[in-house]
Amino acid sequence: MKSLDMVIVVSISGLAGTDESLRLQAWGTVTNLLRPELGKLYRQFNPSNGVWEHKISRPFGVVLGKQEPEVFRQLLAAGEEAQREAVAFHTAGMLRKADLGGAQKIGDMLLCSTVVDGSDPELLAHTVWNILIQEGAPIPDCGIYYASLGRASASEQERSEIVQNLDQYALCMVSFGQEAIKDA
């Protein structure tokens, strides 16, 4: 793996200017979002000329929804798929380490307690990932992040509103370096 890819949905509602100016402002929003975790969750981030198998060269890695609605929708779907895969990977990693023999059934839920004390680095990494994504952090392998919502997930209604109002959104393709979360 050379890099981790992410798409970040940014609201451009209320912004004015040329398409180039809108792209620059959208990338500025992404930079302000990601900068606080620079050196903590990742060592670098850059605008990308494509994410996953979608190679799409755009200035600052920004696709304007009003200008390219089909490309926007394709990248949105690709980000959501990448997120489903990341959730499955980290959940499976936690479950491999859990002692399911001590699980208790309460109603329709299966509860299993696990001690995360740092003695198992793999369990710690998967647990921290799950906590960060629930807290709304833009972590490199979460696939998609909705900056306009401040979290990595969107309800079906929120997603539908974005798709129905593409003229108010930009999608930024971001690449994190190979060592993006090695120490996280």
Side-chain angles (χ1 to χ4, degrees):
M1 173 175 53
K2 293 182 181 177
S3 67
L4 294 172
D5 297 325
M6 181 192 308
V7 291
I8 300 178
V9 179
V10 177
S11 173
I12 57 170
S13 179
L15 301 180
T18 64
D19 288 348
E20 183 179 338
S21 173
L22 291 173
R23 283 188 170 95
L24 183 60
Q25 291 174 74
W27 180 249
T29 299
V30 168
T31 300
N32 289 334
L33 172 73
L34 297 177
R35 189 179 304 129
E37 298 305 325
L38 189 59
K40 298 174 190 169
L41 295 178
Y42 33 84
R43 289 186 175 85
Q44 65 181 16
F45 63 89
N46 297 296
S48 179
N49 285 324
V51 288
W52 307 291
E53 67 275 354
H54 303 277
K55 300 304 174 207
I56 304 164
S57 182
R58 299 295 182 272
F60 300 106
V62 176
V63 173
L64 299 173
K66 69 178 181 175
Q67 193 177 62
E68 299 180 275
E70 277 310 306
V71 173
F72 188 102
R73 286 186 194 99
Q74 288 174 353
L75 293 174
L76 188 69
E80 291 169 339
E81 177 60 26
Q83 185 172 84
R84 281 189 291 277
E85 290 173 8
V87 168
F89 172 77
H90 289 289
T91 301
M94 285 180 63
L95 288 174
R96 271 194 315 273
K97 300 293 183 166
D99 177 16
L100 297 178
Q104 296 177 322
K105 188 164 176 89
I106 300 176
D108 61 351
M109 293 187 318
L110 187 62
L111 281 160
C112 178
S113 62
T114 302
V115 176
V116 182
D117 60 4
S119 61
D120 184 332
E122 182 183 354
L123 176 61
L124 180 62
H126 291 303
T127 303
V128 168
W129 188 92
N130 278 289
I131 291 169
L132 288 172
I133 202 165
Q134 292 301 317
E135 291 294 316
I139 48 182
D141 69 336
C142 71
I144 189 167
Y145 191 81
Y146 298 88
S148 55
L149 301 174
R151 59 184 188 270
S153 62
S155 69
E156 192 55 43
Q157 179 182 351
E158 291 166 330
R159 186 188 185 283
S160 180
E161 281 184 35
I162 290 169
V163 170
Q164 291 173 10
N165 298 290
L166 290 180
D167 61 320
Q168 297 177 25
Y169 293 93
L171 191 142
C172 303
M173 299 178 288
V174 180
S175 175
F176 297 88
Q178 182 176 1
E179 66 284 342
I181 57 172
K182 194 181 290 183
D183 299 329

